[in-house]
Structure formats: C-alpha cells, structure tokens
Amino acid sequence: MTVLLVALLLLLWPGPGSEGGRVLVCPVDGSHWLHMQVLVKELHARGHQVTVLRSSTSWYILENSPHYTSITVQQDTQQSIESAETMSRFLHRSLELRKERGPLSFLAFYSNFFDMLSETYGTVAELARTLLTDRALMQKLQEARFDLVLTDPALPIGAMVAHYLQLPLVLNVRWVLSMDVHFAIAPSPLSYIPQVLSTNTDRMDFLQRLSNVLYHGLSLYIHHFITNPPFQAMCQEVFPPGINALSLIQAADLWLVRVDFVFEFPRPVMPNLVYVGGFHCRPAQPLPPELEDFMQSSGEHGVVLMSLGTFVRGLQPHISEVIASAFARLPQKVVWRHLGQRPSTLGNNTLLLDWLPQNDLLGHPKTRAFVTHGGTNGIYEAIYHAVPVLGLPLIFDQMDNMVRMEARGAGIVLDVMALEVDSLTQALRDILDEQKPYRDNMRRLSRLHRDRPIEPLDSALFWIEFVMRHGGAGHLRTESYRMPWYAYHNLDVLALLLGSAVTLLLLIGATCRCLCQRLCRTRKVKLQ
Amino acid sequence: MTVLLVALLLLLWPGPGSEGGRVLVCPVDGSHWLHMQVLVKELHARGHQVTVLRSSTSWYILENSPHYTSITVQQDTQQSIESAETMSRFLHRSLELRKERGPLSFLAFYSNFFDMLSETYGTVAELARTLLTDRALMQKLQEARFDLVLTDPALPIGAMVAHYLQLPLVLNVRWVLSMDVHFAIAPSPLSYIPQVLSTNTDRMDFLQRLSNVLYHGLSLYIHHFITNPPFQAMCQEVFPPGINALSLIQAADLWLVRVDFVFEFPRPVMPNLVYVGGFHCRPAQPLPPELEDFMQSSGEHGVVLMSLGTFVRGLQPHISEVIASAFARLPQKVVWRHLGQRPSTLGNNTLLLDWLPQNDLLGHPKTRAFVTHGGTNGIYEAIYHAVPVLGLPLIFDQMDNMVRMEARGAGIVLDVMALEVDSLTQALRDILDEQKPYRDNMRRLSRLHRDRPIEPLDSALFWIEFVMRHGGAGHLRTESYRMPWYAYHNLDVLALLLGSAVTLLLLIGATCRCLCQRLCRTRKVKLQ
C-alpha cells in the first residue's frame, strides 16, 4: 500500500522544476547582488541546486554559503582595485560637474560617464574572456548539466555563458541601458517613453520630446560605440559570426523585470516579461533592542530614516554638515546610515549608524519619511511600507527613479550639490506634513502595489521553474530581433509601394502629356 | 467579545470588491455571450450584483436568470429580422465568392464584407441611440451606482455607456478589429504582427509582409469609413466634441484579453492587459448515458467530434454529403453537430446531434480529433483537452485562428468550398495518426497552456475586483492615445531636427561658397 502511495505521489509530482533543478547563476556584484540573493535563497529553499559564478575579487558575493555552491573565476586583484578607483573617481567627478551649468559641463559630464563605462566594460569583457576560454572550467560547467542560467543582463557575461552551454536563459533585470533592446522588450515610442537619464516623465511637451530623442541618440551611442566593442571582440573569438552581446540578451527565454507600474510609467511590454517589482520586500522584522528603544523615544513625532545606498562610501563633509544641521532642526528623531567623518553640526536627535536594517526600519510604525539616493531597492521598500521619500539622487538611474516618485506626488527631489539648510529643512517639513499629499499618495501607491493575485517572489519562482519544466519559453518570445533591421521596419515594402506609386504617377503623367500632344497636333492639323 | 470579533472582521474585510460590488454588463450577442456568461456567473457566485443590458430581440441573452438582473432595451423586431437576414446573406455570398479566384472576386468578397459591417454597425448605432437618449433609463442606471461597466468592445455600446455614467471600464475582448487600437494595446510592427484576415503568420517573407501592409490599410479603411461613421454621429449627439467610439475603448481601465500565447503569436502588449485565454474551459463533466454508450462503442479507434459553432445554421447539402462520405470511411465513430437536411451518404458510425456538450466531449478520453470552423472558444477547449484540430474555417477570424494552429503543428486546414471526399479522408487520417506530430504537438500546447500560476478565470475575477476596489486602474494605462497623432509619432521633433540639419548644411555651403568667392577675387586681384 505504502509503495503504491509513493508510486502515485511520484507520478503526480510536477515536472523537473519541483523535483529540484540545477540552476547556474551569473550575478552582477554590488547592490545588484542584493536582489539576486533573494532569488538564490528562495531557489535553494525550494530544493533546487544553485551554483553561483563569482569573481575572486567580489565585494559582496561570498565564496561559501549555505544556499549555493560557488565557482570562482580568477580576476587580477590589481585590475579590481583599479576598477574600484575608476568608479570612485567617476562618482566624484560626476558630482563636481553637476555643480556647473551649461552645455560644456553637460558634455564633460557625459564624457566622464562614457570613460567610466568604457573602462568598466573593458574589465568585464576581460573577465568574460578568462571564463569562456578556460576549457577545463567550461567542460566542468557542461558536465554539471544545468537546467538554466539565471543572470542580470547589466553585464552580458551570463548571456554568453548560457549561449555557450546552450541552456535556457532567464534574466533578472530592471531595464537594460539601451533602448535598442526594444526588439526583445517591445517597441518604445519616444513620444511617451522617457529615456534613461533624461529625467523626463511620460507626459512631455515639445522640448521634452526633443530632449528625449536626443537622449535616445546618446543611448544608442553608448551601446554601439562604448559597451558593445569589448564584447564584440569576445563574441568573435568564441562564437560563430553574427552573434553579439545584444542578440544574446534578446534571445532570453524570460525577463523577470523588477518593475511595478505604481512606480514605473506604463509602456509596451512583451509576453515573456514577468513583473516582479518589489519581490525583495517583506514585512518588517523586530529591530535590535537599542534601535527599537531609539525609535520609541521619538514619541508622536516619529523618525526620519536616511541612507544613500551601498554605492556611496561617504558624502563630502560640507554636504554632511548641511544635512546634519537640517536634521537638528526637526522635532523628529533621525536614523542616518553615515560613513565618513562625523558632522560637527549633528543634533541630539540624530543617530549615526554605518549599517542599518533598512526594510525593517521602513516598516516600523514610527517611521515617517525616508531620505534616499533613489535606488530602486529602497524605493520599492518605501512603497511597500508606505513611507514618503525625499530624494538626493547621485548617479545612474537614481534621478529617473526620483522623477517617477515626484510625478506620483509621493516624493520631493533636491539637488545634493546645491543643498542649503533652509530649503532642505523646508523639504523635510513638507514631506513630514500629514496635511500635504505625500503620505496619502504613498499610501495609495502601497495599497495598489500590495494588491496582486500572486506575490512577486512566488511569480518569479513559478516562471523560473516553468522554464526548467519545459526547457525554455520560446512560445512567449517574438523572434523579430533576428530580422534584418530594414525588414523589421518594413523599409523594403515601403520602398516598393512608394516606387510603385511614383511609377504610376509618372506613367499617368506621361500618358496625359502624350494625349495632350496628340490632341494639340490633331487640332493644329485641323486648323491648318 | 463577539462584538469585538465582528468589528475586527469588518476592519480586516478587503475593499468593496469582496463586499459585493455592482457590475453593469453590456454584452455582445451570439457566441460572444458564451464566455461573457462565464464571467457573469462567477461574479454572481462571488457575491456581486450583476445587471445585464440586453436587446429585446436578443437570441441568447435571456431576460430572466438566477445570475443577473436584466434591463431590456427595446429594438424594432423587423430591424432585428433584417439584421439576421443580412448576416445570413453575407455568409452565403462570402462562401460563394471563396470558390472564385482572382482580384475581382477578392474585391467582391470585401465589398460584401464592408456592406455587412456597414449595415450591422448602423443597426447597433441605432440601438445605442435608443439607449443613450432614453433619459429615464439613463437616470435609473445613474441611480443604481454601479462600480464598473464590463463589456465586449466588438461593439462600442458598453464603452459609451461607461463614459456616460463616468464609470471604470473593463473589456472582455479577444482583439478588436482595427489595429488602430495599438494606441491603447501596444504598437504593432507590421513586419511580424499578422493583420486580421491576412492569414499571415509571425514569420513573413517579403510578399507576405507586403500583403500584411495592404491588409493593415484595409483595417484602417474599415474603421475610418465603415464602422466609425454611425457611432461618430452618436457621439456628437451625446458627448462633448473630441470623443469617438475608438477613444472610448482606448480609455478602458483594463483589458481582459482572451489570449494565450500557446495559441496567439507573441506580440507587444500593454500593462493593463490581463491574459485570460481559455478561461471558459473546465474539466469534462459526465456525458448523458446514451452519448457515453456511443463513445464507449468506438473501442480502441475512438471518436471524431465535429461542430461548426453557433453562427452557421447549416452547410450546403453537397458539402455535407462530402463530409458524411469521408466520415463513413473512417474506423472511428463520429459525433457531428449537424443542422439541416440529413446527408444521404451518412455512415453507420456517425451520430448527428443538433446540440452537443462540446467541452465535455472534447475532454472525453475516447475523443481523438476535432473538426471545427476555428472559432476561438472551441480552439481553446481543444487545446485545454489536447485534441488536434481539422479546420474548415468559414468567416471572420476563423481562418486566422486555424493558421495559428497549423503554424504550431497542431492542426490541418482545408477549404470548405473545395472539399473532396479523398482529400478530406486523407486529412482526417493524418490528424488521427499517432505517428504524425499533430497529437504530440497539441499535448505540448496543452501542457504549456495549463501550467500557470493562477487560473485565467480567477485572474479575470481578481482584476475586475481590483478595478472595483480602487475605482479604476489608471496607473496601468498609458495616456498616449490622447496625444495628437503627429506628436505620438514625434513628427514635429523630426521636422525640427531635419530642418536644423538642412539649415546647418545650407549655412556651411553658403559660407564655403562665400569664402571661395573671396579667395578667387583676391587671387584675381593679385593676378591683375
């Protein structure tokens, strides 16, 4: 009887996904690892074997973990230090350039950005080469018989590995930099889809649409002339002709996009997109006792929380002084994740910490506002816990993110390089004021965000397992990205139709002229 | 204690959706009512009050039902009879014209189609006028304080009523005829999105892409010159300027699209689309005893099922004879939903019925193949129960549907006007042959279709209740359809950029010429 029952259970057991699959994860370091880690842990909890590819110089991705087995790719330590220095130099110079105005500083800002991208992608392409030309390692990966590759396409290494191993590919992605990816994601009309870094919303006047087109040009430039070349050389070395980093990303079976339209502007998408925005958010856990005591000590005024994310090691001292002064004027208490020198103007109400349990603090009933750089992880946590945000965006997509929160009436944006005590204090008072709409709007966004038929983390896991069960999800993917560009845009058809129309008009014209001439000649003959 | 518990329960009770909302349903008659009815029953089962607007001459929508209250709009009986005659004449003539070949018959086919559309939409616009200008009725609807309007946008009456009553609008839709709706649905690149009636797939060669562009032109023509005018007059009468039937449909909060990408080709979509393809399918229920006996009598050979849907009252006798002869040659038993004269060549193996429980028969273990006209309801049931299909498409989107099944390798299409006993028998044998890929492909589609995180009917109900809870779903809808067409396509921006480029070139040219002239003059002076 027991044997029969077991046999029946085995028969009813759904496909390979739930039996425990083998997943190869190719993550991106830094804050990108924070949400990938959530997926890794959940995959492990559901009985899948996870293998993580990491670089020997990784900041965040540990070699040993109870949740995964790691494979370490050797990277030159010197190169890694140089990369970190490049990034720090880039950030410092970007913020400096923000202070200046005018077209020259705009150009200098982008030239700085391009230099950083070019260097970073060069390093990453080198790492990809080390990996893909290591025959022994690739052989080992081949023999491990993975069911799929899960990767973050901010860097295309994972897509290359998946193609090399001929495995289904699932992306964990916000958006990718270049809108060229619309071939896979969906067409992106520039008239209502704000381009990355443009700070436009989905409602643009003529000048904003003009700037949007120009930013799109920048995006294309970045892809074709900066981020593509190092990978192109790689692809030529390892794969047959016609394959590039972009086409490998476009060939992904499934895109788990960290998007929710309470935050992102609505736009065309594709059937192989699964929305998982905010999948890392969860109800708040109890705080450590001292922190809980500090929170409770705030009384009816509550607490302001400030953090500028994982990327920034410290603000310039004079900016920290301005922020500290403004905080000191508030009746609220403040918890500030602060690295670097302690500001001299710090008030008694402010607690400095070099790390804080951000999600648990945002979910604490005493928390009233969140001062943030505008990274997506933090913004989704703020939406989840209905805490209005004051944004001090620094770099990358942070300004774009804050523009979205401002457009929803749930946040205020200030320029970190032009901070003054009075205006910052006023902005803080506004965001804390229950009579102002920020808190209510954030509550509305939170209600919409939390009202869904399936939790985003469950959705992500379902679809990863779906791809494992069926060996891909090709039926959800258009193959249009494989068409030549002129065919995709139907330019050949339009040329034929235009050509035919012109020929027809010319023929009609010629016939008319011919007829007229004959008519005239006949008349002349008659007149003669 | 009990009072406290009740108070707590009331507090925890989710929004108005689950408390029982008030839904106004504006359905379309005929087969469209079959799936709308599924939603109506489920809404009723979940405690919502449903009111259905029906015409006094409705074929299918009953005045009295345990599931809904109906409001009957008077329609001229004579007009309704004429409509039915128009439709029957149209179908007859369409099939006649299919027999002929060449451009003239193509034109006659479409002229016949346009005539039918024009007449039908005229009648429907008249019905809309009766409804919207009936002050007492509209007052009654206003006072009923509905939470939303649920409608099928094949006819735009529901969208008009929703706009009049200022209510959130949810559509239950497959696609809409005109691709113009891409403003709301998503951009539709003509290079890989086959147009309605074109019989193209998502992989087109040059000539197919050319035909696709021409069919798109037809679609636009149909909307702007045939289906729009009667409603435009209506809108001008009832609403402020600038509102037309199309913009009312585009303003819908949510689209429940009866699409699943195991059947439909992948294409761009919008965030306010919810896929509910096959939501009406359900596990087979037991058959009536005589029918079950007949099914069992088929032995190992199994049964072929045939039905041409609700729209066709009967095939021409000579076609029925061909089909009957082919069936008679099969070792299988056949269940045939047949109206009209009994074919003389009918075999002993064939059972004629004037109605059949299609879903239960398709889900019966003895069923081996389904001969269908290719309506979406039946195709989804066939996919759900993994039964390969032989298509005899008659009209509308039926050919397009069958093209999809053929492209998936799960069906064969034959021209009903050119049926011959031998070729039909061969096609039946092919579709029944387990060695051929049809059955396996259908099984694969069925596995993919059934593997989903939430049942499509539950998803439909969740999102209808979501719109009720939040009074709309505006955050999922792009407002781009409200932009002027030149702005949507950024033509003004392109004109400026082109203009600037040309001006710059001209300026450079003029400067160069000026410099050259000066240089020449200086030389001449020197030479002199």
Side-chain angles (χ1 to χ4, degrees):
Chain A
M1 186 63 194
T2 321
V3 177
L4 259 178
L5 204 68
V6 170
L8 190 70
L9 270 175
L10 280 176
L11 269 176
L12 291 176
W13 205 255
S18 307
E19 267 173 12
R22 284 173 296 273
V23 182
L24 178 62
V25 178
C26 304
V28 168
D29 220 319
S31 66
H32 286 237
W33 172 244
L34 293 183
H35 40 75
M36 188 62 105
Q37 203 180 10
V38 176
L39 289 182
V40 166
K41 283 184 184 167
E42 192 64 24
L43 279 167
H44 176 256
R46 295 196 187 201
H48 302 288
Q49 291 171 35
V50 184
T51 306
V52 174
L53 269 186
R54 63 183 287 281
S55 142
S56 57
T57 61
S58 172
W59 308 340
Y60 282 81
I61 308 166
L62 303 179
E63 192 164 0
N64 299 310
S65 157
H67 308 298
Y68 57 83
T69 315
S70 71
I71 294 180
T72 300
V73 183
Q74 286 308 316
Q75 194 180 6
D76 184 358
T77 319
Q78 185 54 35
Q79 202 180 41
S80 162
I81 294 169
E82 278 168 20
S83 288
E85 278 170 3
T86 302
M87 208 50 99
S88 160
R89 212 167 41 238
F90 156 70
L91 182 65
H92 184 74
R93 178 122 177 83
S94 290
L95 291 177
E96 280 299 311
L97 284 166
R98 277 251 295 269
K99 277 195 279 191
E100 296 160 29
R101 302 274 159 194
L104 271 182
S105 89
F106 178 88
L107 286 181
F109 181 87
Y110 278 96
S111 143
N112 182 42
F113 186 47
F114 296 158
D115 287 349
M116 180 278 292
L117 281 180
S118 185
E119 268 190 61
T120 308
Y121 281 91
T123 312
V124 172
E126 206 38 54
L127 188 66
R129 184 190 315 272
T130 311
L131 178 68
L132 289 165
T133 55
D134 183 339
R135 292 250 172 120
L137 177 59
M138 294 316 282
Q139 177 84 19
K140 187 176 153 191
L141 292 178
Q142 205 110 43
E143 283 163 5
R145 300 173 64 92
F146 292 107
D147 293 308
L148 65 77
V149 171
L150 173 64
T151 192
D152 183 328
L155 301 176
I157 297 185
M160 289 179 171
V161 172
H163 188 74
Y164 191 100
L165 300 174
Q166 306 243 309
L167 289 174
L169 177 63
V170 176
L171 307 178
N172 165 19
V173 57
R174 190 182 164 219
W175 293 123
V176 271
L177 194 60
S178 165
M179 280 303 142
D180 233 1
V181 182
H182 80 259
F183 271 67
I185 285 217
S188 307
L190 296 176
S191 52
Y192 69 92
I193 299 184
Q195 296 298 287
V196 177
L197 305 181
S198 71
T199 72
N200 287 323
T201 72
D202 60 345
R203 295 186 191 201
M204 295 177 252
D205 59 23
F206 176 78
L207 286 179
Q208 286 166 327
R209 281 191 287 113
L210 177 63
S211 86
N212 213 44
V213 170
L214 298 176
Y215 272 98
H216 178 67
L218 261 180
S219 239
L220 290 183
Y221 174 77
I222 290 174
H223 238 281
H224 290 300
F225 300 100
I226 296 168
T227 61
N228 263 350
F231 297 110
Q232 214 125 6
M234 265 299 313
C235 287
Q236 274 167 10
E237 215 176 303
V238 185
F239 301 123
I243 285 175
N244 60 55
L246 203 60
S247 73
L248 291 179
I249 292 175
Q250 287 165 338
D253 288 87
L254 213 71
W255 300 60
L256 307 174
V257 288
R258 299 193 300 277
V259 158
D260 186 303
F261 292 99
V262 298
F263 167 53
E264 196 60 58
F265 298 122
R267 53 151 291 145
V269 292
M270 277 298 190
N272 61 345
L273 252 70
V274 178
Y275 312 126
V276 297
F279 73 77
H280 63 291
C281 305
R282 53 188 201 288
Q285 301 298 307
L287 296 173
E290 319 83 71
L291 200 50
E292 179 62 38
D293 289 347
F294 183 80
M295 297 297 282
Q296 292 303 340
S297 72
S298 65
E300 54 165 343
H301 292 298
V303 175
V304 173
L305 183 68
M306 168 157 179
S307 168
L308 297 188
T310 55
F311 194 68
V312 181
R313 302 265 133 201
L315 285 174
Q316 287 163 290
H318 71 276
I319 302 179
S320 291
E321 293 294 345
V322 172
I323 297 174
S325 304
F327 282 156
R329 291 190 188 176
L330 296 178
Q332 279 76 19
K333 296 263 169 137
V334 180
V335 179
W336 183 359
R337 178 178 188 261
H338 184 273
L339 303 169
Q341 202 185 325
R342 183 184 171 89
S344 64
T345 49
L346 202 72
N348 285 334
N349 64 340
T350 305
L351 175 68
L352 295 191
L353 296 172
D354 56 6
W355 179 88
L356 48 78
Q358 185 169 289
N359 182 69
D360 303 334
L361 279 169
L362 282 169
H364 195 282
K366 289 283 181 199
T367 304
R368 297 283 183 274
F370 181 33
V371 183
T372 171
H373 62 312
T376 43
N377 287 349
I379 287 192
Y380 273 115
E381 287 168 356
I383 293 174
Y384 184 86
H385 296 297
V387 179
V389 290
L390 175 70
L392 302 176
L394 301 168
I395 202 66
F396 301 135
D397 58 348
Q398 296 163 7
M399 186 52 148
D400 288 325
N401 296 341
M402 281 312 305
V403 163
R404 279 148 184 73
M405 294 318 292
E406 202 176 38
R408 305 281 187 235
I412 296 177
V413 193
L414 292 180
D415 183 354
V416 74
M417 299 312 285
L419 276 190
E420 284 169 6
V421 180
D422 285 345
S423 54
L424 176 57
T425 313
Q426 190 53 49
L428 282 164
R429 285 195 178 131
D430 286 345
I431 211 94
L432 287 160
D433 187 349
E434 284 275 352
Q435 304 303 312
K436 296 240 153 58
Y438 303 105
R439 180 117 189 163
D440 274 348
N441 285 334
M442 205 48 152
R443 284 200 188 108
R444 197 180 59 83
L445 293 186
S446 190
R447 275 198 305 277
L448 290 169
H449 177 61
R450 282 171 170 239
D451 192 1
R452 47 202 172 195
I454 172 172
E455 289 303 307
L457 184 58
D458 291 332
S459 188
L461 266 289
F462 173 87
W463 286 105
I464 291 174
E465 291 176 347
F466 180 96
V467 171
M468 287 199 266
R469 275 195 290 277
H470 302 284
H475 71 293
L476 297 176
R477 175 187 59 205
T478 152
E479 304 283 308
S480 59
Y481 67 93
R482 294 201 176 150
M483 298 173 77
W485 60 272
Y486 62 85
Y488 178 88
H489 294 289
N490 258 338
L491 296 183
D492 45 358
V493 170
L494 294 179
L496 179 79
L497 289 177
L498 261 177
S500 310
V502 169
T503 313
L504 193 70
L505 281 179
L506 286 179
L507 271 179
I508 291 172
T511 315
C512 286
R513 210 169 52 187
C514 206
L515 280 178
C516 283
Q517 280 172 349
R518 288 226 175 159
L519 215 67
C520 291
R521 219 176 290 160
T522 322
R523 269 196 203 165
K524 273 184 198 166
V525 171
K526 276 190 184 165
L527 285 174
Q528 284 168 354
Chain B
M1 186 63 196
T2 321
V3 177
L4 259 178
L5 204 68
V6 170
L8 189 71
L9 270 175
L10 279 176
L11 270 175
L12 292 176
W13 205 255
S18 307
E19 268 173 10
R22 285 173 296 272
V23 181
L24 178 62
V25 178
C26 303
V28 168
D29 219 319
S31 65
H32 286 237
W33 172 244
L34 294 182
H35 39 75
M36 189 61 105
Q37 202 179 13
V38 177
L39 289 182
V40 165
K41 282 184 184 167
E42 191 65 23
L43 279 167
H44 176 256
R46 295 196 187 201
H48 302 289
Q49 291 170 35
V50 184
T51 305
V52 174
L53 269 186
R54 62 182 287 281
S55 142
S56 57
T57 60
S58 172
W59 309 342
Y60 283 80
I61 309 166
L62 303 179
E63 192 164 1
N64 299 311
S65 157
H67 307 297
Y68 58 82
T69 314
S70 72
I71 294 180
T72 300
V73 184
Q74 286 308 316
Q75 193 181 7
D76 184 357
T77 320
Q78 187 52 36
Q79 202 179 41
S80 162
I81 293 168
E82 279 168 21
S83 289
E85 278 169 4
T86 302
M87 206 53 94
S88 159
R89 212 167 41 238
F90 155 70
L91 182 65
H92 183 74
R93 178 124 178 80
S94 290
L95 291 177
E96 279 300 310
L97 284 166
R98 277 249 297 268
K99 277 195 280 191
E100 296 160 30
R101 303 272 159 193
L104 271 183
S105 91
F106 178 88
L107 286 181
F109 181 87
Y110 278 95
S111 143
N112 181 42
F113 186 47
F114 297 157
D115 287 348
M116 181 278 292
L117 281 179
S118 184
E119 268 190 62
T120 307
Y121 281 91
T123 312
V124 173
E126 205 39 54
L127 188 66
R129 184 189 314 272
T130 312
L131 177 69
L132 290 165
T133 54
D134 183 340
R135 292 251 171 118
L137 176 59
M138 294 317 282
Q139 176 85 19
K140 187 176 152 191
L141 292 178
Q142 205 111 42
E143 282 162 6
R145 299 172 65 92
F146 292 107
D147 292 309
L148 67 76
V149 171
L150 172 65
T151 192
D152 184 328
L155 301 176
I157 297 185
M160 289 179 169
V161 171
H163 188 74
Y164 190 101
L165 299 174
Q166 306 243 308
L167 289 174
L169 177 62
V170 175
L171 307 178
N172 166 18
V173 57
R174 188 181 164 221
W175 293 124
V176 272
L177 193 61
S178 165
M179 280 301 142
D180 233 1
V181 182
H182 80 260
F183 271 66
I185 284 217
S188 307
L190 296 176
S191 52
Y192 69 92
I193 299 184
Q195 297 297 287
V196 176
L197 304 180
S198 71
T199 72
N200 287 323
T201 72
D202 59 346
R203 296 187 191 200
M204 295 176 250
D205 59 24
F206 176 78
L207 286 179
Q208 286 165 328
R209 282 192 287 115
L210 178 63
S211 86
N212 213 43
V213 169
L214 298 177
Y215 272 98
H216 179 66
L218 260 180
S219 238
L220 290 182
Y221 174 78
I222 290 174
H223 238 282
H224 289 301
F225 301 100
I226 297 167
T227 61
N228 262 350
F231 295 111
Q232 214 125 7
M234 263 300 312
C235 287
Q236 275 168 9
E237 215 176 302
V238 186
F239 300 123
I243 286 175
N244 60 56
L246 203 59
S247 74
L248 291 179
I249 292 174
Q250 286 165 337
D253 287 86
L254 214 72
W255 300 60
L256 307 174
V257 288
R258 299 193 300 275
V259 158
D260 186 302
F261 293 98
V262 299
F263 168 52
E264 196 60 58
F265 298 122
R267 53 151 291 146
V269 292
M270 277 297 189
N272 61 345
L273 253 69
V274 179
Y275 313 126
V276 298
F279 73 78
H280 63 291
C281 305
R282 53 186 202 290
Q285 301 298 308
L287 296 173
E290 319 83 69
L291 201 49
E292 180 61 38
D293 290 346
F294 182 80
M295 297 297 283
Q296 292 303 341
S297 73
S298 65
E300 53 164 343
H301 292 298
V303 175
V304 173
L305 184 68
M306 167 156 181
S307 168
L308 297 188
T310 55
F311 194 70
V312 181
R313 301 267 132 200
L315 285 173
Q316 287 163 290
H318 71 275
I319 302 179
S320 292
E321 293 295 345
V322 172
I323 297 174
S325 303
F327 282 157
R329 292 191 188 174
L330 295 178
Q332 278 76 18
K333 296 263 168 139
V334 179
V335 180
W336 183 0
R337 178 178 186 262
H338 185 271
L339 303 169
Q341 203 185 323
R342 184 184 170 87
S344 64
T345 49
L346 203 72
N348 284 335
N349 64 340
T350 305
L351 175 68
L352 296 190
L353 296 172
D354 56 7
W355 179 86
L356 47 78
Q358 184 169 289
N359 182 68
D360 303 334
L361 279 168
L362 282 168
H364 195 281
K366 290 284 182 199
T367 304
R368 297 283 183 272
F370 181 33
V371 183
T372 171
H373 62 313
T376 43
N377 287 349
I379 288 192
Y380 274 114
E381 287 166 357
I383 293 174
Y384 184 86
H385 296 297
V387 179
V389 290
L390 175 71
L392 302 176
L394 300 168
I395 203 65
F396 301 135
D397 58 347
Q398 295 162 7
M399 186 53 148
D400 288 325
N401 296 341
M402 281 312 305
V403 163
R404 279 149 184 73
M405 295 319 292
E406 203 175 37
R408 305 282 186 237
I412 297 177
V413 193
L414 291 180
D415 182 353
V416 74
M417 299 311 287
L419 277 189
E420 282 169 7
V421 181
D422 286 345
S423 54
L424 177 57
T425 313
Q426 190 53 49
L428 283 165
R429 286 195 178 131
D430 286 346
I431 211 94
L432 288 160
D433 187 349
E434 284 275 351
Q435 303 305 312
K436 296 240 153 61
Y438 303 106
R439 181 116 188 163
D440 274 348
N441 285 333
M442 204 49 150
R443 284 200 188 109
R444 197 179 59 82
L445 293 186
S446 190
R447 275 200 304 277
L448 288 169
H449 176 61
R450 282 171 170 239
D451 191 4
R452 48 203 170 194
I454 172 172
E455 289 303 306
L457 184 57
D458 291 333
S459 187
L461 265 289
F462 174 87
W463 286 105
I464 292 174
E465 291 176 347
F466 180 97
V467 171
M468 286 200 266
R469 275 194 292 276
H470 302 285
H475 71 293
L476 297 177
R477 175 187 59 206
T478 153
E479 303 283 307
S480 59
Y481 67 93
R482 294 200 176 150
M483 297 171 78
W485 60 272
Y486 62 85
Y488 178 89
H489 294 287
N490 259 337
L491 295 184
D492 45 358
V493 170
L494 295 180
L496 179 80
L497 289 177
L498 260 178
S500 309
V502 169
T503 312
L504 193 71
L505 282 179
L506 286 180
L507 271 178
I508 292 172
T511 315
C512 286
R513 210 169 52 186
C514 205
L515 280 177
C516 283
Q517 280 173 349
R518 289 225 176 157
L519 214 68
C520 290
R521 218 176 292 159
T522 321
R523 269 196 203 167
K524 273 184 197 164
V525 171
K526 274 190 187 167
L527 285 174
Q528 282 167 357

